[in-house]
Amino acid sequence: MPLTPLEHDRRYGELDQVIRAYAGQPADDTPDKPSHALTAYLRHTWHSRPWALAVAERQLREYADHPPGRLRLRLGEFYAIPDIGLPEPDLQQWLYCLADHIKRSVEEGEVPPPATPTTHWEWHARFPELGQFLGGWFSQDMPDEFDDHDGAVDDYRAGTDPYVVARVVGELRELLALDLDESDYALGVAELGMEVDPPAPYSPSGWLALVADRLNGPRVEYGPSSG
């Protein structure tokens, strides 16, 4: 019987987050050094959900202790780890290696220092609502759907709960506070799903600041006046 969403999260939810952190990244962890992907996972999770590290360590170790057979995977009764570029015989030891690194990080307080996101997973983990906004309203289809960038921003604001809009504004302010080079802002918005250039003459950071102000401004009420 396939896993229910609740059962999946209970048994594999944080394991899944760890594995997702390897999207586009090599699984080159060694017993002496965590990979770039695991370091990004540790950095963000220590900052946002430190309690989840113990859950991840337990789920990784339990999965490695009791690897599923092909039949149970085919029936959907177990979480199927996607291809991460490792031979199947090496997968079990790799999972133990990840669990050991997470355990050491928690027990010895080895916390990666704050830094700009360095992987696709970390960008989206740190700026989830901004990723939804940029990926949903500024894909390559944006010029066919809206007259201009302002039209896309206004459409998002008009159809989105104000609390979610406020979160996007907060994430925009946080991103701007990183004070990155313009090339790094261009990389960041691309990682977050933006597939079109900012409108001329704005730089990536200048346009992000403009968007934050536009989303944060007073809402215009449309319809007949009451006077």
Side-chain angles (χ1 to χ4, degrees):
M1 168 179 246
L3 290 167
T4 66
L6 181 61
E7 186 67 13
H8 172 277
D9 289 349
R10 182 182 295 124
R11 296 169 62 185
Y12 309 116
E14 200 58 32
L15 164 66
D16 184 51
Q17 285 297 311
V18 176
I19 301 302
R20 287 175 183 271
Y22 284 82
Q25 299 291 322
D28 55 359
D29 307 82
T30 68
D32 297 324
K33 185 178 180 181
S35 65
H36 192 62
L38 185 59
T39 299
Y41 168 81
L42 288 168
R43 175 171 47 241
H44 178 73
T45 308
W46 265 113
H47 172 73
S48 61
R49 302 178 303 125
W51 53 265
L53 293 168
V55 179
E57 189 268 345
R58 174 178 56 79
Q59 291 183 355
L60 284 161
R61 208 173 294 282
E62 288 179 352
Y63 195 100
D65 285 343
H66 307 287
R70 296 182 185 274
L71 176 60
R72 298 196 73 180
L73 285 174
R74 189 161 61 247
L75 294 174
E77 296 177 352
F78 257 87
Y79 172 76
I81 293 179
D83 184 7
I84 55 169
L86 287 177
E88 188 171 337
D90 296 342
L91 188 59
Q92 185 180 39
Q93 287 305 313
W94 177 69
L95 293 172
Y96 282 132
C97 181
L98 301 190
D100 289 344
H101 278 303
I102 294 173
K103 180 180 180 181
R104 186 179 307 118
S105 178
V106 173
E107 291 185 343
E108 300 180 12
E110 294 182 1
V111 183
T116 302
T118 59
T119 67
H120 180 78
W121 175 89
E122 191 178 9
W123 276 104
H124 282 267
R126 185 162 176 180
F127 301 106
E129 295 298 342
L130 185 54
Q132 291 289 328
F133 168 56
L134 293 178
W137 274 260
F138 292 94
S139 70
Q140 60 186 352
D141 297 325
M142 188 275 284
D144 298 326
E145 298 176 359
F146 304 103
D147 292 335
D148 53 23
H149 290 64
D150 286 349
V153 174
D154 291 344
D155 180 80
Y156 170 81
R157 188 184 185 200
T160 305
D161 189 285
Y163 291 100
V164 178
V165 174
R167 292 191 65 181
V168 170
V169 172
E171 290 180 12
L172 282 164
R173 301 294 191 205
E174 180 181 350
L175 179 55
L176 290 167
L178 296 178
D179 197 22
L180 308 177
D181 293 336
E182 289 302 331
S183 60
D184 290 328
Y185 277 118
L187 172 64
V189 296
E191 289 282 6
L192 290 169
M194 188 171 180
E195 297 177 337
V196 296
D197 292 330
Y202 293 101
S203 65
S205 67
W207 180 71
L208 291 172
L210 185 72
V211 171
D213 289 341
R214 193 174 187 90
L215 290 175
N216 202 39
R219 283 179 174 259
V220 177
E221 298 295 336
Y222 295 99
S225 64
S226 58

